[in-house]
Structures are given as structure tokens and as C-alpha cells.
Amino acid sequence: MSLGRRLALIFKAKASKALDRAEDPRETLDYSYQKQLEMLQQVRRGLADVATSRKRLDLQAQQLETRVGTLAQQATAAVAAGRDDLAREALTRRSAAQQQLAELAPQQAALQAEQDKLTGASQRLQAKVEAFRTRKETIKASYTAAEAETKIGEAVSGISEEMSDVGLAMQRAEDKTAELQARAGAIDELLASGALEDATGTTKDDIAAELEKMTSRSDVEEELAHLKRALPPAARTALPGSGADTSSPTPPGAGPGTPKEDRS
Amino acid sequence: MIVRILGEGQLDIADEHLDELNALDAGLAEAVTAGDEPRFQHVLITLLDRVRAVGTPVAEDSLSASDVILPAQESSLAEVRALLGEEGLIPG
């Protein structure tokens, strides 16, 4: 037997189980309608979950993009400062962030596809539930045991199949969402550990701190040089460590704080 | 004949297309039995494309059950086996 017909039979078997549950077929109508309303609510909740996950991923992608830009700037700044080691570290981290971004992209697309499908499914189910409600009242009004049973069977089978389909779509969306939430959690951890900078810029990573230290150090040096140039030549020779007087008894870098010098 | 593509909804198929689609459907069943994933994917995509091309969407408020139900496009062979193997795996 063909695959399509086998699947159709399996879905039908599920529907007839629902029909067998009640002694009075009319009870089946109400029971089924109750289930349909519950299902609609579940689908709406499922849709909200998918949307939330997708937004979180979008936000993380933005953060990663910012991070890639920052690291590129840091690498340039480090090279300019003659710190190849820092530049290398920044480039390594940038490549890691870029890889995360590349892996995120297809998952973002997949989640968007799930969201679209689930939206379509929920609209179809909504339309069918509405149709079922009308049909249910009609069947109940004209109820005679013999004629109603077939009509009830038809209506319940139709809607039951839709519900199974929507149920499968929801399961797929939930699986995808769970998968992505695990990844999102991992990225959050990376961001929090300082390996990846927070997009708010409040956390300073070690590369930024090192570069900043270097900048402030070179600012101090520049200021010092400026002060020295501003002094008259006579005063300059009297300054220890100025570099102008090489015969100075105190070599540059060996201040009074060096214990060895004090003892000898 | 009414055909449902899981995740997409129902389509009405005119009788003249049934032979062609039945042949593809049989091919799909063979691929599942043989456990041939690449062939399964290929036949599934071909079959779904043909169904979409020749089918007319059924009104959303129709309550008819389908004569044939086809797996969703992105289904893996394992997922389809699970659908066929155990009714309990269909939620809802």
C-alpha cells in the first residue's frame, strides 16, 4: 500500500478512537470541541515561544556583530601600538565570534520558517474550529441517532486530522526552539564570561583594558616629554633620568626604590 | 481526491493526475522500506512539488478528512518511520 494512504489510515484510526470514547455521539462533539479550543490555545502559546526564541537569537546576532567590529578596531589599535600579541588575540576572538555568527544564520532562518508554518497552521485550525462549532450546533438540532452518527464521524475525523497535523507542527517547532535555546544559552555564557564583550559596552574585556593602559601610559610619557622640552636647558641637566646627561650617577630606571642600589 | 501535506494543509487533486502521483507515492514507500535516505528525499520533494502544482487548496473551513497524507517537505526518513510505526507518536 502506498505511503500516503497508510498515513491517512493512521490519522483516521486516531480520530475513531476519539469517537469511541463517548457513549452518546453528541458528547463526542462537545468533547472534541473542548479539545480543539485547548489545542488553539496551545498553538498560540507555541507561537509566542517561537517568536521569543527568535527575538533572542536576533539580539545575540546583533551583539556578535558589534563584537566582531570592536575586535577588528582593537586589533588595528594594537598593531599601531606595536603589540602584535594583543592584535593576534583580538583577531582570534574575532574569528570565533564570526564563526558563531555564521552558525547562527541558518538557525535563525529555520526558526523563522517554523514560525511562518505554525502561523499558517494556527489560522487553518482556527477556521476549522469555527466551522466545526457551526456544524456541531446543526447536528445537535437535527439529531436522530441514525443520521447524526455519520455526520459526527465526518466532522470529528476532519478536525482530528487537522489537530494531529498542528500537533506535529508544534512538536517540530518546540524541538527547534529547544535546540536554539541551548545554543543561545551557550552564547550568553560566552558573553558573560568576558570572552565576548557585552553589546552594552559596560563590561571591559582584557584586550580593551590592556590597550587603555598602554594609551594612558603613552599619554603620560608624552606629557613628560612635553614638560622636559618646555624647561630651559640649564634646568634640564639637573634632572635625573632626563637622558640628556649620560654621566648621571643614577641610571634611568633605577630609582631610589630599587633595594639593590640602596645596599651597595 | 483530497491530499494533505503535513504542515501545509489540504489540496484537491483531479482524477487525471492520480496515476502519476500514485507512482511517485509507491516510489516513496519503497525508499522508506529500503531505508534509502537520498532517494526518499528526492522522491518526496518531487511528489510534493507535483501535488502542489496540480492541486487546488481545499477551503480552510472544510472538515473533510484526507484520502492521502504526505509527510512534510523537511521530514527525515526516520521521522516518517516514526509516524508509520506507532500511532502514539502523533501528538494531539
Side-chain angles (χ1 to χ4, degrees):
Chain A
M1 194 196 289
S2 84
L3 187 102
R5 287 187 194 277
R6 261 166 73 191
L7 277 181
L9 283 182
I10 290 170
F11 277 68
K12 274 200 190 87
K14 199 177 163 56
S16 54
K17 256 191 199 166
L19 281 168
D20 289 345
R21 215 168 282 156
E23 280 185 13
D24 182 341
R26 285 173 297 181
E27 279 175 28
T28 314
L29 286 175
D30 290 327
Y31 175 76
S32 175
Y33 185 61
Q34 195 54 46
K35 285 276 163 209
Q36 291 158 32
L37 294 180
E38 284 168 20
M39 187 62 143
L40 262 182
Q41 284 213 328
Q42 278 179 34
V43 175
R44 289 189 187 126
R45 269 201 300 273
L47 255 177
D49 285 349
V50 173
T52 307
S53 285
R54 202 178 53 76
K55 276 183 198 143
R56 187 175 172 202
L57 271 195
D58 289 349
L59 187 70
Q60 286 193 325
Q62 279 172 21
Q63 289 178 326
L64 282 171
E65 265 164 33
T66 310
R67 180 65 182 156
V68 167
T70 309
L71 283 165
Q73 283 169 10
Q74 287 180 340
T76 312
V79 168
R83 288 288 305 270
D84 281 9
D85 58 328
L86 270 188
R88 200 166 283 125
E89 180 61 32
L91 289 176
T92 307
R93 288 184 195 176
R94 188 184 66 153
S95 141
Q98 275 171 330
Q99 196 182 332
Q100 287 281 4
L101 255 180
E103 281 170 20
L104 222 52
Q107 288 186 306
Q108 274 176 293
L111 205 56
Q112 179 67 58
E114 290 303 334
Q115 191 179 342
D116 292 346
K117 272 197 174 175
L118 211 50
T119 306
S122 99
Q123 280 165 359
R124 282 194 299 275
L125 183 60
Q126 170 83 56
K128 282 190 169 27
V129 167
E130 192 48 45
F132 186 90
R133 195 183 58 83
T134 315
R135 185 87 64 93
K136 174 168 86 87
E137 295 314 317
T138 316
I139 295 172
K140 272 184 166 178
S142 66
Y143 181 73
T144 65
E147 70 174 30
E149 202 143 351
T150 336
K151 287 181 182 170
I152 292 171
E154 282 167 8
V156 172
S157 305
I159 196 94
S160 158
E161 184 185 305
E162 190 71 40
M163 297 222 293
S164 296
D165 191 356
V166 169
L168 281 170
M170 266 180 29
Q171 201 177 48
R172 261 199 306 273
E174 274 168 19
D175 289 351
K176 271 269 155 40
T177 309
E179 214 176 274
L180 288 173
Q181 270 169 349
R183 170 174 287 277
I187 293 177
D188 274 347
E189 247 169 59
L190 270 176
L191 288 164
S193 74
L196 295 172
E197 191 192 12
D198 190 57
T200 55
T202 46
T203 331
K204 240 174 234 144
D205 60 59
D206 47 354
I207 294 182
E210 182 75 4
L211 280 172
E212 206 164 87
K213 217 195 293 170
M214 283 170 59
T215 312
S216 69
R217 204 184 297 145
S218 77
D219 282 350
V220 169
E221 292 303 320
E222 239 171 64
E223 193 66 21
L224 188 62
H226 179 73
L227 283 173
K228 283 173 188 171
R229 277 196 300 276
L231 282 176
R236 214 184 293 175
T237 48
L239 283 171
S242 69
D245 185 7
T246 44
S247 65
S248 164
T250 322
T258 315
K260 244 187 199 164
E261 286 289 318
D262 283 344
R263 301 268 179 264
S264 66
Chain B
M1 189 178 76
I2 297 179
V3 175
R4 172 182 294 273
I5 300 176
L6 288 176
E8 291 180 33
Q10 294 172 303
L11 296 143
D12 201 352
I13 309 278
D15 291 349
E16 70 216 63
H17 303 292
L18 293 187
D19 285 346
E20 180 203 356
L21 297 179
N22 277 334
L24 283 167
D25 193 1
L28 193 65
E30 275 170 33
V32 171
T33 312
D36 188 342
E37 181 90 53
R39 189 163 148 234
F40 165 78
Q41 294 293 343
H42 176 73
V43 179
L44 178 60
I45 288 170
T46 315
L47 174 58
L48 295 186
D49 279 348
R50 287 304 295 153
V51 169
R52 291 186 199 111
V54 301
T56 322
V58 170
E60 286 200 344
D61 61 358
S62 153
L63 289 175
S64 331
S66 310
D67 301 296
V68 164
I69 295 182
L70 297 174
Q73 169 127 14
E74 67 278 3
S75 308
S76 67
L77 206 155
E79 281 168 337
V80 171
R81 280 207 165 138
L83 276 180
L84 290 168
E86 224 186 308
E87 277 179 62
L89 288 178
I90 304 173

